[in-house]
Amino acid sequence: MTEPSSELQRVMVIAAHPDDPEFGCAGAVLKWAQAGCHITYVLITSGDKGSHDPDLRPGRLAARREGEQRDAAADLGVRDVIFLRRPDGLLENTLDLRRELAALMRRLRPHIVVTIDPWRLYQLHPDHRAAGQAALDAVWSAREWYIFPEQLVEGVEPWRVGQVYLFWTDHPDYWEDISCCLEQRIAALMRHVSQVGTEPEKLAERVRLRAREAGEKPGYAAAEAFKRFEF
């Protein structure tokens, strides 16, 4: 994957939790931002259940994880970070969530949406499945005149997303060469101090290994793999 053309300059990344983008697509995000794209993150939850510490209350954890996500996004050149603050661990692909995401797409008009592949085999985390499916359902809804028509006021019109990239996929058909920025990608992931554990270098090595494995088929030293759709 090369950087988007001049006609594809607005990218929206939709994920369930803070750190999902850094685990899944941060190399592509960094390269696209460096190429001049306007990147927006939409985090559906704030990760308030992402700890096994009984003394760390969900509200404090959510605030901490939002701060970590903003720091990581800044490192990658992401311009906007939006938190929907849905409950972590309880996410569902509801009509209300689809409506909210469609409204964001109609207002911000992304050319590209990047999200989690909800059809990944044995994807255990229900939030990941729900986030990916809601994002894809919203891509369809946002382009239809008679779906959520109450949003079509004050100059807002239906919006057709041109491309979708799914990360954490079992069926990749598109690869981003991240050989040039793998270490920057890992550094952004390490901003999520609450999540990287007590042995961050072991995590970093796993990320390097997976990037090398993803790069084998396209012939890159390191890559991120996606399932890509064009509309």
Side-chain angles (χ1 to χ4, degrees), residues 1 25 28 165-167 169 172-174 176 224-228:
M1 187 194 309
C25 60
Y165 294 90
L166 304 181
F167 62 90
T169 182
D173 56 12
Y174 217 85
E176 180 71 60
E224 290 172 343
F226 300 88
K227 180 67 178 179
R228 177 188 173 195

Side-chain angles (χ1 to χ4, degrees), residues 4 8 32 111-114 161-165 228-231:
L8 298 170
W32 288 357
H111 300 111
I112 294 171
V113 167
V114 182
V161 173
Q163 298 178 2
V164 170
Y165 294 90
R228 177 188 173 195
F229 299 91
E230 290 193 75
F231 304 105

Side-chain angles (χ1 to χ4, degrees), residues 185-198:
R185 178 202 193 285
I186 292 172
L189 176 60
M190 293 303 147
R191 287 287 195 175
H192 297 277
V193 176
S194 68
Q195 305 301 301
V196 298
T198 58

Side-chain angles (χ1 to χ4, degrees), residues 16-29:
H17 314 100
D19 80 11
D20 287 350
E22 282 67 56
F23 271 109
C25 60
V29 166

